[in-house]
Amino acid sequence: MQKQREWKPLEDRSCTDVPWLIIFTLFCVGMAGIAGFSIYTGAASRLISGYDSYGNTCGQKNSKIQGVELSGRDQTDNKYVFFLDPCNIDILNRKIKSMALCVSRCPDRELKTYTDIKKFALQNGSELCSYDIPVSKYPSHGERSKKCPKLPVPPSKSLPVFHRCTPVDISCYAQFAEAFVTFVSDNSMLHRVVAGVMASKEIIMGLCVLALVLSIILMVVIRYISVVLVWMLTALVVLGSLGGTGVLWWLYVDHRTNLTDQTGTTPTPQQQVATDNVQALLVYAVIATVFTVILLLLLFFMRKRVALTITLFHVAGKVFTHLPLLALQPFWTFLSLMLFWVSWLGVFLFLGTTGSPVQSEETGLVEYRMSGPLQYMVWYHAVGLIWISQFILACQQMTVAGAVVTYYFTRNKSQLPMTPIVSSMLRLARYHLGTVAKGSFIITLVEIPRLILTYIHNQLKGKENACARCMLKACICCLWCLKKCLTYLNQNAYTATAINSTGFCTSACDAFVILVENALRVATINTVGDFVLFLGKVLIVSCTAFVGVLSLNYQRDYTVWVLPLLIVCLFSWLVAHCFLSVFEIVVDVLFLCFAVDTKHNDGSPGREFYMDKALMEFVENSKKMARRDRPETDGDGGEMKPTTHGGGTFA
């Protein structure tokens, strides 16, 4: 039988999963190569400066495109892209179906006739019709309806960075907005919504700050009233179940009594409906009774494990007191993700204009299309979005785990590093980036097929049969559940790596063994803890929305509150989720440390516990209860050894 490996917290440090760090580094080099290729081939300049429907990039000299008569023009003085029909939007393909030209100036006033377009061209040198139509022929040319702007030409301004002439009046985009905002049915509603957001932007920003403050306050409150909070929620659940069951039985008896009083009469359709209702109430009452009995039994047998959850919440609050920089961890993660997503989106847009110019047979307009091996760049870039995003999130988990592990396994808290979070980040960068890369890649392997199946399901919506739809949804659901399980296991593997400096697979195996040995505890912490944190998120969103309603009530110049409140509620939920998810990670890390501590230490000389005083009291109470339940003692009258070496599972 293989000897069980010992846990030696914070004793040895070595680099882990170096080959995976090399693979991830090479993958990132490939991502940088794609970005460099898109810039080198001129895709970046075409995206920023824009190009016309003949393949000419605005603001520079251009080379001739074979087969395109009006290509190869010098557009140095024409820096802006002008669309002949800017409101003709293809919602399905998310692009403007209009001829584009390079012009020297966007029309700043409405042009109602072709004569006005001619005057504008003569005065400003900005030709708004196709290059092959002389300015003097604008009012009389036979193809003016196809090669000149659609009348009337709305006034427009150029965008700050992307030189596109955009109409000042956005009402022509109501159809496009309607595809995303279902309540937009007329231009007046769109104007009111946009104007309301602009008018209440100070209130929105203030409410977002309020959500941030409430999240921090809630984390402090959970520490000091964790006992009252958890048992109060547990009592509410029990009372709700008992009350609901009692009401169902009362309704059943009442309906059955009324039905019995009418048995002597001729059956009517109403009586048949009443009979069905009585039977349904009986079924509901029986189900509610079974659920309540199971719930009460679970609470009875898991009451001591609920006490562990309360203690972990209390200790987690103390961790934040000693490690205040933990509260800033969501900011750095969010900032890193935003910077990566913005750069990823920029390269993705560059790739959209990479490739060879192709003249469409249907419209005769030039488009840049990727062909051959270039198409695989998009897929490579898409995989990079998932893997690197998961890598950043995994770095947060490993950083938090490293800091909490340092806190837990340092007996003298006065000897903690000056900034455990910074020390954990440096340890991660020096030793464990390969482990994080490997764990995030495993999540990516599950996430890619899930996204592909989701895309297929959306594309086939309304076309596939019921059986295929059900199978797709089942596969998507299974992959989602698998991702959640792997994410939880990965998080515990990172904690094991932070404790023992082992590779990902070894850490995952060790963490899995610990979790299996403490399965009931894990279930209790995840159910009770997640439920408490979920209610905390709901509380923050509700308070923020309530204050938002009171604040907007005094904004008399704006009466439609839907979009501002929606923005505020969404942001407050994200803020609460970011903060409380860090709190949840801390609780999970503390539990794994606690399980390892109780498995390999018993408080005797040389095997002292590392745990906090509150957890020590929980262990002592568990031992006392175990002695009451099992009064047998060993020969010296001491504590029963199985309680300290039973795989880390107390009562």
Side-chain angles (χ1 to χ4, degrees):
M1 182 176 179
Q2 186 178 3
K3 184 179 179 180
Q4 188 177 10
R5 187 179 53 79
E6 289 188 30
W7 291 72
K8 298 180 179 179
L10 306 176
E11 290 188 12
D12 300 317
R13 271 306 143 196
S14 60
C15 294
T16 55
D17 298 300
V18 176
W20 277 96
L21 177 59
I22 297 174
I23 293 173
F24 181 74
T25 303
L26 294 175
F27 182 87
C28 291
V29 170
M31 293 282 290
I34 291 176
F37 174 81
S38 62
I39 296 173
Y40 176 76
T41 55
S45 62
R46 281 196 292 270
L47 176 68
I48 296 174
S49 301
Y51 60 93
D52 61 18
S53 296
Y54 304 107
N56 302 299
T57 301
C58 300
Q60 67 182 41
K61 293 182 179 180
N62 296 275
S63 302
K64 182 72 175 179
I65 300 174
Q66 186 177 1
V68 182
E69 183 179 353
L70 297 176
S71 63
R73 295 174 63 90
D74 184 0
Q75 303 285 17
T76 305
D77 297 329
N78 301 322
K79 300 180 179 180
Y80 305 102
V81 181
F82 175 74
F83 296 98
L84 302 189
D85 188 7
C87 298
N88 186 8
I89 300 172
D90 184 357
I91 295 178
L92 183 62
N93 296 316
R94 297 176 294 278
K95 64 181 181 180
I96 299 177
K97 297 171 59 177
S98 169
M99 179 183 288
L101 301 173
C102 294
V103 299
S104 60
R105 182 177 175 181
C106 301
D108 54 359
R109 65 179 186 274
E110 186 179 47
L111 306 176
K112 298 181 179 180
T113 64
Y114 292 109
T115 303
D116 293 340
I117 297 175
K118 175 183 175 182
K119 291 180 181 179
F120 179 81
L122 293 174
Q123 292 173 359
N124 302 286
S126 186
E127 301 177 5
L128 303 183
C129 291
S130 181
Y131 310 133
D132 56 346
I133 301 180
V135 176
S136 59
K137 299 288 186 180
Y138 282 2
S140 59
H141 198 277
E143 293 185 307
R144 63 186 182 183
S145 60
K146 295 181 180 179
K147 297 187 176 182
C148 287
K150 181 180 179 181
L151 297 177
V153 180
S156 58
K157 291 183 179 180
S158 62
L159 296 175
V161 178
F162 301 94
H163 300 161
R164 271 73 169 177
C165 295
T166 307
V168 177
D169 185 2
I170 62 172
S171 60
C172 72
Y173 294 122
Q175 181 188 4
F176 186 69
E178 190 176 10
F180 298 96
V181 186
T182 56
F183 61 83
V184 175
S185 57
D186 58 358
N187 296 338
S188 60
M189 173 64 77
L190 179 63
H191 282 301
R192 289 202 303 271
V193 168
V194 175
V197 173
M198 297 306 296
S200 56
K201 57 181 181 295
E202 293 84 3
I203 294 178
I204 293 176
M205 295 178 63
L207 291 174
C208 292
V209 174
L210 175 64
L212 181 63
V213 174
L214 288 176
S215 299
I216 298 175
I217 292 175
L218 181 63
M219 293 172 66
V220 177
V221 168
I222 288 177
R223 174 193 172 182
Y224 290 103
I225 64 168
S226 55
V227 177
V228 178
L229 183 63
V230 173
W231 286 118
M232 184 186 301
L233 292 173
T234 304
L236 289 176
V237 171
V238 172
L239 291 176
S241 300
L242 291 173
T245 303
V247 169
L248 285 172
W249 280 113
W250 175 77
L251 289 174
Y252 167 71
V253 172
D254 183 61
H255 280 69
R256 184 178 179 182
T257 302
N258 293 335
L259 184 63
T260 304
D261 294 339
Q262 301 174 5
T263 52
T265 61
T266 304
T268 62
Q270 289 79 7
Q271 290 180 352
Q272 183 61 41
V273 172
T275 303
D276 295 337
N277 288 338
V278 169
Q279 294 176 351
L281 284 172
L282 177 61
V283 173
Y284 296 152
V286 170
I287 293 175
T289 303
V290 173
F291 172 79
T292 303
V293 170
I294 294 175
L295 178 64
L296 293 175
L297 290 175
L298 286 175
L299 289 176
F300 177 77
F301 288 109
M302 298 174 70
R303 64 191 184 281
K304 288 175 280 189
R305 296 176 181 88
V306 172
L308 174 59
T309 304
I310 296 171
T311 307
L312 288 174
F313 269 58
H314 178 72
V315 177
K318 296 177 67 174
V319 170
F320 277 92
T321 303
H322 286 84
L323 312 178
L325 289 181
L326 276 177
L328 297 179
Q329 196 61 32
F331 290 106
W332 303 121
T333 303
F334 179 76
L335 181 61
S336 302
L337 285 174
M338 287 303 299
L339 290 175
F340 169 66
W341 288 342
V342 169
S343 61
W344 183 91
L345 181 61
V347 176
F348 182 75
L349 293 175
F350 293 163
L351 290 175
T353 55
T354 304
S356 305
V358 178
Q359 190 172 20
S360 173
E361 297 180 358
E362 180 182 354
T363 61
L365 307 180
V366 174
E367 298 177 356
Y368 285 88
R369 298 177 184 173
M370 300 180 67
S371 58
L374 295 180
Q375 294 178 337
Y376 296 106
M377 288 186 179
V378 178
W379 291 102
Y380 188 97
H381 197 58
V383 173
L385 173 66
I386 302 173
W387 192 2
I388 297 178
S389 297
Q390 292 295 332
F391 178 83
I392 294 173
L393 294 173
C395 284
Q396 171 183 282
Q397 295 174 349
M398 177 70 89
T399 301
V400 174
V404 177
V405 165
T406 300
Y407 170 84
Y408 187 96
F409 288 106
T410 301
R411 287 194 171 92
N412 188 354
K413 305 306 180 188
S414 62
Q415 296 179 354
L416 282 170
M418 184 69 68
T419 52
I421 278 287
V422 176
S423 301
S424 179
M425 294 175 65
L426 294 176
R427 241 183 356 255
L428 166 64
R430 183 177 179 182
Y431 297 110
H432 304 311
L433 286 178
T435 299
V436 172
K438 187 175 183 178
S440 57
F441 180 75
I442 292 175
I443 302 297
T444 304
L445 287 180
V446 178
E447 189 71 2
I448 290 175
R450 188 180 74 86
L451 293 177
I452 293 175
L453 290 178
T454 303
Y455 174 78
I456 293 174
H457 179 266
N458 292 332
Q459 291 296 313
L460 297 179
K461 189 170 291 184
K463 299 179 182 179
E464 79 280 19
N465 56 36
C467 181
R469 183 168 59 251
C470 181
M471 291 181 62
L472 277 175
K473 288 184 178 179
C475 292
I476 293 171
C477 182
C478 291
L479 289 173
W480 181 84
C481 294
L482 178 60
K483 177 195 170 185
K484 289 296 182 182
C485 294
L486 288 176
T487 301
Y488 182 72
L489 181 60
N490 279 10
Q491 180 180 307
N492 286 278
Y494 300 147
T495 304
T497 298
I499 296 174
N500 254 7
S501 191
T502 50
F504 178 82
C505 291
T506 303
S507 298
C509 183
D510 293 341
F512 181 76
V513 171
I514 293 291
L515 294 176
V516 170
E517 291 175 347
N518 296 269
L520 289 178
R521 285 177 173 176
V522 172
T524 306
I525 292 171
N526 284 336
T527 52
V528 177
D530 290 351
F531 182 64
V532 171
L533 296 179
F534 171 76
L535 290 181
K537 297 174 188 178
V538 173
L539 178 64
I540 291 173
V541 174
S542 302
C543 293
T544 307
F546 178 72
V547 175
V549 170
L550 295 180
S551 302
L552 291 171
N553 185 46
Y554 295 98
Q555 193 78 12
R556 297 300 181 182
D557 57 338
Y558 179 57
T559 57
V560 181
W561 299 348
V562 176
L563 193 56
L565 280 179
L566 186 63
I567 294 173
V568 168
C569 291
L570 178 61
F571 184 83
S572 61
W573 175 268
L574 291 176
V575 169
H577 176 73
C578 289
F579 275 90
L580 295 181
S581 64
V582 173
F583 192 91
E584 184 179 3
I585 293 174
V586 171
V587 171
D588 291 336
V589 174
L590 284 174
F591 170 72
L592 191 67
C593 294
F594 171 75
V596 172
D597 195 9
T598 54
K599 181 176 181 177
H600 295 277
N601 299 304
D602 57 8
S604 60
R607 299 181 63 184
E608 295 86 357
F609 288 121
Y610 289 93
M611 65 185 66
D612 184 88
K613 182 179 179 181
L615 286 171
M616 196 86 71
E617 292 176 355
F618 169 79
V619 172
E620 293 301 324
N621 292 334
S622 299
K623 290 179 180 179
K624 291 177 182 178
M625 295 181 70
R627 285 197 298 268
R628 280 202 306 266
D629 295 339
R630 293 173 294 179
E632 299 87 356
T633 59
D634 57 15
D636 298 326
E639 296 165 353
M640 289 188 63
K641 293 181 180 180
T643 60
T644 59
H645 296 283
T649 53
F650 292 100

